[in-house]
């Protein structure tokens, strides 16, 4: 949350000449605002919708930006194990300015304390799936994208078909 997945993903997709899918945006387009889904149907329903959108996005070549909680679903983790995963991290200090005033449902009651708890809880899952980890805290988007491109260039063609 707040690591720059969407910004970096868009720029990376342009560099690689691949389609870009932001799974949260697909969910919003199909089902309405994330905050509303959480409020009306709860997090479990949102996670079901998210799982379906992620599964669909991973069926064709492209750059996919996943919502931070997507890895909570075991089937999603299984699908991600079969593709290239770039983990973008950010320090609490850097993310605070990025998410200030955010309407993110999981932060509504706890702010930065909630972000830290979520980040700490999910970090082992993220790291277990990641092929490479890059910190975005104080680096320009273009530099992070350059690093991803260099990383992917070192992989075989088969491994770079679906960067996620």
């Amino acid at each position: 949350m707040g690591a720059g997945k969407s910004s970096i993903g868009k720029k990376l997709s342009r560099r690689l000449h691949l389609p870009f899918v932001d799974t949260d945006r697909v969910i919003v387009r199909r089902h309405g605002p994330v905050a509303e889904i959480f409020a009306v149907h709860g997090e479990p329903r949102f996670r079901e919708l998210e799982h379906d959108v992620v599964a669909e996005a991973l069926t064709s070549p492209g750059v996919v930006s996943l919502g931070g909680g997507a890895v909570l679903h075991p089937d999603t983790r299984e699908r991600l194990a079969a593709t290239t995963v770039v983990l973008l991290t950010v320090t609490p200090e850097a993310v605070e300015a990025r998410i200030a005033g955010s309407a993110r449902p999981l932060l509504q009651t706890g702010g930065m304390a909630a972000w830290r708890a979520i980040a700490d809880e999910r970090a082992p899952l993220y790291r277990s799936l990641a092929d490479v980890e890059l910190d975005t805290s104080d680096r320009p988007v273009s530099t992070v994208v350059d690093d991803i491109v260099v990383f992917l260039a070192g992989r075989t063609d088969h491994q770079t078909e679906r960067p996620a």
Side-chain angles (χ1 to χ4, degrees), residues 27-112:
I27 293 168
V28 168
R29 192 171 58 247
R30 292 181 183 172
H31 304 284
V34 173
E36 185 177 308
I37 297 168
F38 267 74
V40 174
H41 304 287
E43 184 176 357
R45 176 64 180 146
F46 175 79
R47 296 296 171 209
E48 290 173 26
L49 298 171
E50 180 179 55
H51 169 264
D52 293 344
V53 169
V54 170
E56 180 184 324
L58 292 176
T59 61
S60 56
V63 175
V64 180
S65 172
L66 303 180
V71 299
L72 300 175
H73 197 291
D75 292 343
T76 297
R77 290 194 302 270
E78 187 175 319
R79 283 182 169 84
L80 290 172
T83 191
T84 302
V85 176
V86 176
L87 171 60
L88 301 176
T89 61
V90 63
T91 64
E93 297 77 22
V95 82
E96 192 163 13
R98 295 181 189 180
I99 65 173
S102 171
R104 298 168 195 250
L106 293 178
L107 299 180
Q108 292 308 298
T109 57
M112 279 306 295

